[in-house]
């Protein structure tokens, strides 16, 4: 019986189960992949070959510059100035301590290391979802740690020698600015977000004006303001510390952006959650602390991490008010006459790029992972 | 066909509208359609049912090439389906499709939804396209909603707009992909009534649906699919009274009781 | 009645929500008022003590410094601090507008490339986005300025772009190339009708043949000779200046006629389509008018411009137009960085359009291009435009990083030099912030109106 006959018959019953055949070669495995992804149309074929040519053109030169022709060991910049020499990694090695600690006294750098390791441990505790007792971790990180870090880094009369902030610099200051920004902006941002949704008109007005003002101006102008105007606004004998001023500026700036992220989370909360909490007789602050904020903050963790990434990249701007953050130390080091040469700038920037990229990329991957997890949770 | 005891309101002719012979389809390694054979004659109404994941939707989506099959032949309106884009466009013009989730264009009004394809595909003057659109909107009983946006209508109304939108292209074949499963119960009837009316007008129809009352009322043949293959085809009378295959019996016992 | 009154519980006044709100707000008000009052008080004491001006009289005083890029007349001797403000503001706006244009074009290209069905193209676009948006903008600016543009040789050893000229193609190679390309195209067409591994082979060979044909043909037609008058050195990019001639007018008129004509043609074509349903090749005709007409006048009247080529005199170039390395670095940095964000917005916008929309337009018989034009893009643009404007604002604010590489923008000229010279910190910073604030507020006001108009109508 021909196949056509089956299809046109009024009545048909399948007597044996249909055969399960392996997919034809073109619909599976490597072949299907190549056809679908590289040569699906003539245009796609042209693009594939063009892109391959581009990669083959760029990749070998990059490899030669960064790896095979690079100068890995040298006492000074002479070898790096040789024609045809690639990246000068010896320069990075020689300046490594400076990049890490700035002018922090060399004998005291263990204090910085201890502070960093402590901070890292606490952050991992906070970030790894499986570890228990997040509340305690948060308390340790947001309240105890800042105090400990302050005395470790600056010193305590009679116990640890004082190190003035104008000696601080390098990666350590970049991380410090970022950490202070993060620690200060989160609670401030939450308060501002709550204030913006408050029913008290003056509170709301103040929060709206503050948030919109800060978000409307560039960070540089905020830093200028903190640096030049803050000393004018306080009694002369108080003159705020040189490093403290940009820290205040960065924190306020980050708080306004954080407030908008948190507000999005509050807005996404179903009304039923507020009503449920009120029906239980919870007063405002308890309702916020126990019911609303834990949920609202969880849903916007990806947004919070994204604003941390932005904050981390923005820490480079504190250089404008004379703070020696990591990028500024690179800028200073590349002008050192011992090393100066045609490849030094690029080497320094590539090194800085790797540092910033690893941090930001890791954070963005983390936020994407959380996003997927949250989405999966919501589906359930 | 002369022996057919089941000629309904309109005669089923001997012209072939759709012919599927030995069609196979895989998603990667997964064999989703196995050896599908089905011939649809002009004027014939076919209801396709089966458990979810049985390949019903995939099969009708192969007919207007929203999905590609890998083996076998599919001939629609005398045109065999290949990768030739031009032919695929020609076929799609003549095969209307109504989706489970309506897929109306939310940025266009109801009227614009209906006139879009006639104007751009059939190259119709705007006035004529609007007249035709109003004609079909009247037929699905919502002419007064023409200037609203889809988001302002109820689910049942949206689905009727979707039917009118397809009809505006004067298709030779209409396909329905679970048109009532996304609707609230009270809206199912208004959509089914529209489909019954369409059947009475002699349209060739392929409907994937679980509305067994509709199948009894209008279908010339019921096709039961399971695990990617056609298990049983029969007239609705025989199909419901005397299911032959074990899987058909099991399926019917689950949905009818 | 009295019974009810008696049972009404006594509410302590501090438990009334109204009173509580009042207390909270008063507290906030008092704290704020105190802070502001003490700030103002301290500021006036401090400023008087340090001899810092407290008024705006500096605005009209002579500036006494020069700016290396000015869109309005400016000189150290004759211009005021107020004029310096306008110079800075205009420079900020100029670099922002130019960068926004490039960032948008590049961002849309990369965003679409990320969605390409071609794996390599999609991966390259992803690599671009993931690299650029995860690096601080300042680092990128410094890289472009200090590692790329500044180390360029001095004017005497400038990198020079050769003159590109086209020779009339020889007939035989042209035919041969056309044949090769044609075979390649035929191979890819043929690939569609067959199955199997042959599809890949035919497409790959076809693509290679077409690329080869184009490359061979171009190598026979394009000639590099002499110098085009475009020089790249550590003073910037120097290229010939266009000088008006008698033949400029026909060219300009042809261009205007081309643009107006194609707009008119589009209008007319729409009318015709409405009446008869016939569709015109609007894009093709518009291209012909906009490019063809000016080309025609050039053929008839001759070149529309004289090129004033820059010449090396001593240690620098004379004549020609110069793009400062500071401007170029800032523009590169801002455009490339912002493009990575715009690409993500575009991608998200296109992905936000439900797959069912494309399926429905296909099922109605619309071609892929029509479906994109009539169904997908209009919906995607609604999602794209609000965050896109936000990126434009971010770019404008980020242009203040100019101060790090010495481009004379508002912050560098006004909040930098003017502030240092006059010492009027409070006034200068307030004005600077106000400018950015006004730009932001005006933009978000316009966006609000746009969003209200474009919101999809829902029940």
């Amino acid at each position: 019986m021909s196949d056509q006959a089956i299809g046109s018959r009024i009545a048909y019953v399948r007597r044996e189960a249909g055969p399960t055949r392996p997919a034809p070669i073109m619909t599976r495995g490597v072949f299907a992949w190549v056809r679908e992804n590289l040569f699906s149309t003539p245009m796609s074929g042209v693009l594939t070959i063009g892109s391959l040519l581009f990669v083959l053109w760029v990749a070998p030169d990059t490899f030669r510059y960064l790896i095979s022709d690079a100068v890995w060991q040298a006492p000074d910049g002479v070898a790096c100035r040789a024609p045809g020499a690639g990246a000068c990694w010896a320069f990075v090695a020689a300046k490594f301590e400076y990049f890490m600690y700035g002018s922090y006294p060399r004998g005291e750098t263990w204090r910085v290391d201890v502070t960093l390791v402590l901070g890292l441990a606490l952050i991992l505790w906070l970030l790894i979802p499986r570890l228990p007792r997040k509340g305690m971790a948060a308390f340790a990180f947001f309240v105890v740690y800042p105090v400990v870090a302050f005395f470790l880094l600056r010193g305590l009369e009679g116990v640890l020698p004082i190190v003035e902030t104008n000696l601080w610099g390098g990666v350590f200051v970049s991380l410090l600015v970022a950490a202070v920004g993060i620690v200060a902006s989160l609670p401030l941002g939450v308060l501002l977000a709550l204030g913006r949704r408050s029913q008290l008109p003056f509170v709301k007005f103040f929060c709206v004006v503050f948030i919109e003002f800060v978000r409307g101006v560039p960070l540089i102008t905020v830093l200028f303001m903190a640096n030049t105007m803050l000393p004018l606004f306080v009694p002369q004998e108080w003159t705020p510390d040189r490093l403290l001023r940009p820290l205040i500026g960065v924190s306020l700036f980050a708080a306004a952006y954080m407030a908008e992220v948190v507000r999005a989370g509050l807005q996404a909360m179903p009304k039923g959650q507020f009503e449920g909490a009120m029906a239980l007789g919870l007063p405002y602050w308890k309702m916020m602390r126990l019911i609303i904020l834990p949920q609202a903050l969880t849903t916007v963790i990806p947004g919070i991490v994204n604003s941390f990434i932005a904050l981390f990249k923005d820490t480079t701007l504190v250089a404008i008010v004379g703070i020696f953050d990591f990028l500024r130390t690179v800028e200073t080091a590349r002008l050192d006459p011992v090393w100066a040469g045609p490849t030094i700038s690029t080497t320094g920037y590539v090194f800085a790029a790797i540092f910033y990229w690893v941090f930001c990329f890791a954070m963005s991957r983390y936020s994407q992972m959380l996003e997927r997890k949250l989405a999966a949770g919501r589906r359930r | 066909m002369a022996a057919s005891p089941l000629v309904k309101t309109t005669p089923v002719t001997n012209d072939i509208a759709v012919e599927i012979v030995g069609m196979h389809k895989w998603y990667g390694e997964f064999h989703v359609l196995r050896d599908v054979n089905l011939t649809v004659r002009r004027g014939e109404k076919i209801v396709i049912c089966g458990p979810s994941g049985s390949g019903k939707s995939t099969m009708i989506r192969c007919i207007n090439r929203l999905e590609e099959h890998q083996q076998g032949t599919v001939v629609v309106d005398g045109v065999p389906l290949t990768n030739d884009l031009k032919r695929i466009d020609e076929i799609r013009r003549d095969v209307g499709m109504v989706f489970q989730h309506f897929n109306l264009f939310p940025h266009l009004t109801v009227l614009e939804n209906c006139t879009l394809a006639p104007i751009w595909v059939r190259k119709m003057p705007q006035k004529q396209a609007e007249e035709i659109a109003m004609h079909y909107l009247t037929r699905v009983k919502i002419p007064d909603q023409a200037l609203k946006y889809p988001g302002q209508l109820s689910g049942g109304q949206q689905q009727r707009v979707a039917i009118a939108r397809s009809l505006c292209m004067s298709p030779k074949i209409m396909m329905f992909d679970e048109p009532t499963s996304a609707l609230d119960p009270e809206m199912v009837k208004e959509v089914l009534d529209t489909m019954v009316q369409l059947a009475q007008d002699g349209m060739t129809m392929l409907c994937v649906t679980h509305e067994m009352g509709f199948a009894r009322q209008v279908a010339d043949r019921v096709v039961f699919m399971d695990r990617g293959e056609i298990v049983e085809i029969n007239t609705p009378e025989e199909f419901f009274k005397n299911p032959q295959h074990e899987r058909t019996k099991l399926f019917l016992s689950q949905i009818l009781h | 009645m009295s019974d009810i009154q008696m049972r009404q519980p006594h509410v302590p006044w501090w438990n009334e929500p109204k009173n509580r709100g009042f207390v909270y707000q008063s507290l906030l008000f008092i704290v704020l008022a105190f802070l502001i009052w003490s700030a103002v008080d301290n500021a006036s004491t401090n400023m008087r003590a340090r001899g810092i001006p407290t008024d705006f009289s500096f605005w009209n005083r002579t500036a006494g410094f020069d700016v290396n890029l000015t869109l309005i007349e400016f000189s150290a001797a004759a211009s005021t601090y107020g004029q310096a403000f306008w110079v800075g503001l205009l420079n900020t706006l100029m670099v922002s507008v130019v960068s926004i244009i490039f960032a948008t074009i590049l961002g849309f290209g990369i965003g679409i490339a990320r969605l390409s069905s071609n794996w390599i193209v999609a991966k390259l676009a992803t690599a671009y986005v993931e690299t650029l948006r995860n690096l601080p903008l300042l680092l990128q600016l410094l890289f472009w300025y200090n590692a790329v543009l500044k180390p360029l040789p001095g004017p005497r050893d400038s990198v020079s772009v050769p003159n590109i000229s086209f020779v009339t193609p020889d007939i035989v190679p042209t035919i041969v190339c056309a044949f090769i390309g044609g075979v390649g195209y035929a191979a890819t067409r043929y690939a569609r009708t067959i199955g199997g591994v042959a599809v890949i082979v035919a497409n790959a060979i076809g693509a290679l043949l077409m690329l080869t044909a184009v490359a061979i043909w171009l190598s026979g037609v394009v000639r590099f000779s002499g110098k085009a008058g475009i020089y790249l050195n550590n003073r910037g990019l120097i290229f010939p200046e266009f000088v008006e001639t008698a033949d400029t007018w026909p060219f300009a008129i042809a261009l205007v006629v081309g643009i107006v004509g194609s707009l008119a043609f589009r209008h007319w074509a729409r009318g015709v389509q409405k009446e008869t349903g016939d569709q015109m090749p609007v894009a093709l005709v518009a291209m012909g008018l906009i490019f063809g007409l000016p080309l025609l006048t050039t053929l008839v009247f001759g070149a529309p411009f004289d090129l004033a080529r820059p010449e090396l005199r001593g240690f620098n170039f004379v004549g020609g137009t110069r793009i400062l390395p500071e401007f170029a670095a800032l523009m590169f940095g801002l455009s490339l960085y912002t493009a990575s964000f715009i690409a993500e917005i575009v991608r998200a916008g296109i992905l936000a359009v439900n797959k069912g929309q494309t399926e429905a337009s296909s099922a109605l018989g619309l071609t892929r291009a029509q479906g994109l034009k009539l169904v997908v893009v209009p919906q995607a643009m609604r999602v794209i435009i609000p965050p896109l404007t936000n990126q434009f604002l971010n770019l404008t604010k980020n242009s203040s990083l100019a101060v790090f590489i010495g481009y004379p923008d508002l912050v560098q000229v006004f909040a930098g030099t003017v502030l240092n010279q006059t010492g009027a910190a409070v006034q200068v910073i307030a004005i600077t912030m106000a400018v950015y604030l006004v730009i932001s507020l005006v933009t978000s006001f316009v966006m609000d109106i746009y969003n209200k108009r474009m919101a999809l109508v829902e029940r």
Side-chain angles (χ1 to χ4, degrees):
Chain A
M1 160 168 59
S2 78
D3 285 346
Q4 265 107 331
I6 299 175
S8 56
R9 276 199 319 203
I10 294 288
Y12 161 78
V13 180
R14 188 177 276 283
R15 290 298 164 203
E16 69 250 56
T20 299
R21 289 192 221 155
I25 191 156
M26 284 315 296
T27 65
R28 65 195 159 101
V30 167
F31 287 113
W33 188 87
V34 170
R35 187 182 129 176
E36 284 298 306
N37 295 299
L38 300 178
F39 294 103
S40 56
T41 60
M43 185 62 188
S44 182
V46 170
L47 285 174
T48 299
I49 290 173
S51 311
L52 276 179
L53 288 177
F54 174 75
V55 170
L56 287 180
W57 176 52
V58 171
D61 279 351
T62 313
F63 178 79
R64 228 171 285 138
Y65 187 85
L66 291 180
I67 313 279
S68 63
D69 284 357
V71 179
W72 292 88
Q73 273 177 328
D76 53 30
V78 177
C80 298
R81 275 172 231 143
C88 186
W89 298 121
F91 157 74
V92 172
K95 297 282 181 188
F96 193 75
E97 283 215 313
Y98 181 60
F99 289 158
M100 289 296 127
Y101 309 108
S103 311
Y104 207 88
R106 285 293 170 266
E108 303 288 332
T109 50
W110 64 269
R111 286 155 56 177
V112 176
D113 298 338
V114 170
T115 316
L116 286 181
V117 170
L118 261 180
L120 194 70
L122 285 173
I123 287 173
L124 285 180
W125 186 5
L126 273 174
L127 292 193
I128 297 177
R130 257 173 301 143
L131 296 180
R133 315 218 50 176
K134 294 286 183 232
M136 205 153 119
F139 180 76
F141 184 69
F142 286 101
V143 181
V144 179
Y145 179 66
V147 179
V148 173
F150 176 77
F151 286 114
L152 255 176
L153 294 174
R154 182 146 188 292
L156 193 61
E157 213 82 55
V159 185
L160 281 171
I162 302 280
V163 180
E164 288 299 337
T165 54
N166 56 358
L167 297 177
W168 299 13
V171 167
F172 140 58
V173 161
S174 289
L175 294 178
L176 176 82
V177 176
V180 170
I182 289 170
V183 171
S185 70
L186 203 53
L188 270 180
V190 169
L191 280 181
L192 283 168
L194 289 177
R196 190 164 185 172
R197 284 173 60 84
S198 159
Q199 279 156 7
L200 308 175
F202 183 71
V203 173
K204 185 175 178 171
F205 171 79
F206 170 74
C207 292
V208 169
V209 168
F210 179 83
I211 293 172
E212 292 305 320
F213 172 79
V214 173
R215 280 161 40 92
V217 299
L219 175 56
I220 285 199
T221 58
V222 175
L223 289 173
F224 266 131
M225 178 164 139
N227 197 45
T228 59
M229 281 162 71
L230 210 56
L232 295 177
F233 288 157
V234 296
Q236 214 158 6
E237 55 281 9
W238 282 13
T239 311
D241 182 82
R242 197 186 56 99
L243 180 60
L244 181 64
R245 300 177 212 166
L247 285 181
I248 292 174
V250 166
S251 301
L252 293 181
F253 188 78
Y257 283 83
M258 191 62 71
E260 285 303 277
V261 174
V262 175
R263 185 167 76 115
L266 289 174
Q267 253 163 0
M269 286 292 292
K271 223 173 143 201
Q273 292 295 316
F274 291 87
E275 287 169 354
M278 282 191 266
L280 286 174
L282 291 178
Y284 179 83
W285 285 106
K286 281 211 177 112
M287 165 175 87
M288 285 300 171
R289 190 164 57 84
L290 299 173
I291 311 288
I292 305 299
L293 281 177
Q295 298 184 60
L297 289 181
T298 319
T299 55
V300 292
I301 286 179
I304 294 176
V305 178
N306 280 341
S307 54
F308 287 167
I309 297 176
L311 172 65
F312 189 65
K313 287 186 290 179
D314 280 346
T315 58
T316 51
L317 302 197
V318 296
I320 197 70
V321 290
I323 306 299
F324 276 80
D325 74 314
F326 173 45
L327 190 55
R328 176 83 185 269
T329 57
V330 173
E331 275 297 276
T332 316
R334 74 182 183 87
L335 300 175
D336 180 352
V338 178
W339 288 96
T343 60
I344 295 300
S345 300
T346 311
T347 306
Y349 292 138
V350 169
F351 178 63
I354 293 170
F355 167 79
Y356 284 106
W357 190 83
V358 166
F359 265 78
C360 296
F361 186 71
M363 280 198 272
S364 76
R365 277 295 131 115
Y366 175 77
S367 107
Q368 281 168 14
M369 180 207 64
L370 277 181
E371 211 158 348
R372 268 196 297 275
K373 243 179 107 169
L374 287 173
R378 251 174 259 140
R379 266 203 302 278
R380 236 178 276 134
Chain B
M1 281 306 288
S4 167
L6 286 158
V7 175
K8 300 242 164 174
T9 44
T10 50
V12 174
T13 65
N14 270 325
D15 288 351
I16 290 173
V18 179
E19 182 165 48
I20 303 173
V21 180
M23 178 169 76
H24 288 261
K25 177 171 176 60
W26 288 264
Y27 284 133
E29 287 291 322
F30 179 55
H31 203 166
V32 274
L33 290 179
R34 311 169 185 189
D35 190 27
V36 172
N37 295 285
L38 183 66
T39 306
V40 183
R41 288 164 201 285
R42 210 170 286 297
E44 201 175 12
K45 288 102 190 115
I46 292 198
V47 164
I48 302 155
C49 60
S52 67
S54 58
K56 303 162 295 192
S57 295
T58 312
M59 185 185 83
I60 65 165
R61 285 158 66 89
C62 283
I63 293 173
N64 67 350
R65 201 63 162 190
L66 289 180
E67 306 270 358
E68 206 175 317
H69 65 276
Q70 282 116 15
Q71 280 180 2
T73 53
V74 178
V75 181
V76 181
D77 207 20
V79 183
L81 284 181
T82 60
N83 279 332
D84 193 333
L85 289 174
K86 222 173 185 147
R87 279 194 181 165
I88 294 172
D89 285 337
E90 274 167 24
I91 286 169
R92 285 172 175 168
R93 264 174 238 174
D94 292 333
V95 179
M97 180 147 182
V98 173
F99 298 85
Q100 181 178 1
H101 295 288
F102 331 137
N103 291 347
L104 292 175
F105 305 131
H107 63 302
L108 302 176
T109 63
V110 165
L111 187 64
E112 286 166 342
N113 263 282
C114 293
T115 56
L116 184 80
I119 288 176
W120 289 96
V121 180
R122 291 255 186 259
K123 308 202 164 144
M124 216 177 258
Q126 188 177 352
K127 218 165 162 201
Q128 191 190 343
E130 281 173 0
E131 277 163 14
I132 291 176
M134 285 315 291
H135 168 75
Y136 284 112
L137 285 173
T138 313
R139 236 176 89 178
V140 301
K141 304 198 180 69
I142 35 175
D144 45 331
Q145 313 282 359
L147 296 179
K148 288 196 179 162
Y149 284 88
Q152 296 169 289
L153 305 185
S154 72
Q157 289 172 322
Q158 290 196 37
Q159 195 59 295
R160 283 185 281 154
V161 172
I163 295 173
R165 178 174 75 174
S166 289
L167 291 177
C168 285
M169 288 293 285
S170 337
K172 295 180 184 156
I173 303 163
M174 281 288 281
M175 303 200 295
F176 294 83
D177 187 1
E178 307 207 20
T180 55
S181 7
L183 295 179
D184 291 336
E186 74 270 23
M187 294 169 180
V188 170
K189 187 170 178 298
E190 61 187 60
V191 171
L192 287 182
D193 286 349
T194 312
M195 288 166 64
V196 169
Q197 196 197 1
L198 196 61
Q200 283 164 351
D201 293 346
M203 177 65 77
T204 311
M205 288 163 73
L206 281 105
C207 311
V208 173
T209 182
H210 292 136
E211 299 293 337
M212 290 305 142
F214 174 77
R216 281 210 180 89
Q217 198 182 343
V218 304
D220 293 307
R221 284 189 290 164
V222 178
V223 174
F224 173 67
M225 289 184 76
D226 190 21
R227 295 179 217 159
E229 58 193 12
I230 293 182
V231 172
E232 186 163 348
I233 306 178
N234 216 331
T235 60
E237 287 78 2
E238 284 297 307
F239 182 82
F240 292 113
K241 210 162 52 187
N242 265 329
Q244 298 291 312
H245 201 285
E246 286 308 312
R247 283 193 258 165
T248 321
K249 288 177 193 166
L250 181 68
F251 176 73
L252 287 176
S253 72
Q254 279 165 343
I255 64 161
L256 293 179
H257 301 294
Chain C
M1 191 70 184
S2 64
D3 233 27
I4 295 169
Q5 265 177 350
M6 272 175 65
R7 279 209 208 129
Q8 210 157 52
H10 172 69
V11 181
W13 71 269
W14 61 85
N15 270 357
E16 271 265 349
K18 250 191 195 165
N19 296 344
R20 274 205 179 180
F22 182 76
V23 171
Y24 283 143
Q25 304 208 65
S26 312
L27 275 178
L28 178 68
F29 182 80
I30 292 167
V31 170
L32 274 181
F34 174 75
L35 281 179
I36 292 173
W37 172 80
S38 68
V40 170
D41 186 54
N42 283 324
S44 62
T45 322
N46 289 335
M47 286 162 88
R48 219 174 306 127
R50 296 183 203 174
I52 297 173
T54 51
D55 58 2
F56 287 89
S57 60
F58 69 89
W59 190 262
N60 289 322
R61 285 214 306 275
T62 311
F65 63 89
D66 252 323
V67 181
N68 60 356
L69 177 68
T70 58
L71 292 178
I72 53 175
E73 204 121 320
F74 189 86
S75 70
S79 300
T80 61
Y81 288 124
Q83 279 162 317
F85 165 81
W86 291 111
V87 165
L89 178 57
L90 286 175
N91 283 345
T92 289
L93 293 178
M94 175 168 73
V95 78
S96 301
V97 169
V98 174
S99 307
I100 281 173
I101 293 171
F102 283 118
T104 310
I105 295 170
L106 189 63
F108 270 77
I110 290 172
I112 292 165
R114 277 203 78 178
L115 294 170
S116 165
S117 63
N118 185 299
W119 184 82
I120 299 189
V121 171
K123 284 293 160 208
L124 284 177
T126 307
Y128 175 92
V129 170
E130 289 296 357
T131 311
L132 277 266
R133 73 169 180 176
N134 281 324
L135 291 176
L137 173 59
L138 178 58
L139 175 61
Q140 300 185 35
L141 285 182
L142 291 176
F143 172 78
W144 287 115
Y145 188 63
N146 288 326
V148 176
L149 294 176
K150 272 286 141 181
L152 285 172
R156 303 196 118 189
D157 312 304
S158 298
V159 180
S160 163
V161 176
N163 218 348
I164 300 175
S165 56
F166 298 91
V167 294
T168 324
D170 286 331
I171 194 77
V172 178
T174 304
I175 291 174
V176 171
C177 289
F179 181 73
I180 297 175
V183 169
Y185 184 68
T188 58
R189 289 295 301 197
Y190 177 65
R192 271 192 197 169
T193 60
I194 51 173
V197 187
V199 179
I200 299 173
V201 178
N203 261 337
I205 292 177
L208 255 181
L209 286 179
M210 284 192 280
L211 279 177
T212 319
V214 171
I216 295 176
W217 189 77
L218 279 180
S219 71
V221 171
V222 178
R223 291 274 176 279
F224 299 103
S225 58
K227 291 183 173 178
I230 302 174
Y231 301 96
L232 194 60
N233 57 45
N234 58 11
R235 306 270 177 96
L237 175 70
I238 296 140
F239 55 88
E241 195 174 357
F242 294 99
V243 179
E244 204 180 302
T245 66
D247 299 325
T248 305
W249 277 108
F251 180 82
I253 291 169
L255 193 64
V256 171
V257 168
I259 292 170
V260 173
S262 32
L263 286 178
F265 179 76
R266 193 178 72 145
H267 185 77
W268 178 75
R270 279 193 181 169
V272 169
Q273 189 189 4
K274 222 173 157 177
E275 288 306 314
T276 69
D278 293 336
Q279 290 164 31
M280 313 264 170
V282 174
L284 221 67
V285 172
M287 293 265 270
L289 283 173
I290 294 174
F291 293 107
L293 275 185
L295 197 71
L296 204 68
T297 57
T298 316
L299 292 180
V300 173
F301 295 99
F305 299 105
D306 273 347
L307 291 181
R309 302 201 177 202
E311 270 172 53
L312 189 63
R313 296 253 176 81
F315 290 102
N316 215 339
F317 280 93
V318 178
T321 310
R322 187 158 73 106
I323 293 180
L324 294 179
E326 292 81 16
F327 180 87
L330 190 58
M331 196 199 73
F332 275 144
L334 286 173
S335 322
L336 297 182
Y337 180 73
T338 313
S340 70
F341 290 90
I342 293 179
E344 282 304 89
I345 290 169
V346 170
R347 186 175 88 109
I350 296 175
L351 286 180
V353 180
N354 199 319
K355 196 165 161 257
Q357 296 289 311
T358 331
E359 285 186 350
S361 47
S362 303
L364 283 170
L366 295 171
T367 62
R368 219 180 108 72
Q370 283 175 330
L372 277 177
K373 178 178 120 183
L374 300 169
V375 175
V376 177
V377 170
Q379 291 183 55
M381 284 316 276
R382 281 160 210 259
V383 183
I384 290 172
I385 285 182
L388 185 66
T389 3
N390 207 15
Q391 285 305 322
F392 292 170
L393 275 182
N394 280 350
L395 187 149
T396 310
K397 284 186 277 174
N398 281 336
S399 72
S400 60
L401 266 60
V403 70
F404 283 95
I405 55 173
Y407 172 79
D409 82 321
L410 180 65
V411 171
Q412 205 257 349
V413 172
F414 194 64
T417 314
V418 172
L419 189 152
N420 284 339
Q421 290 196 2
T422 62
V426 178
Q427 301 92 310
V428 166
I429 289 177
I431 291 174
T432 313
M433 284 182 151
V435 168
Y436 288 103
L437 212 53
V438 166
I439 296 176
S440 290
L441 291 180
V442 168
T443 313
S444 51
F445 179 69
V446 173
M447 278 324 292
D448 263 6
I449 297 175
Y450 170 86
N451 284 341
K452 285 211 180 91
R453 278 191 47 187
M454 296 306 277
L456 291 179
V457 184
E458 302 264 350
R459 274 214 286 192

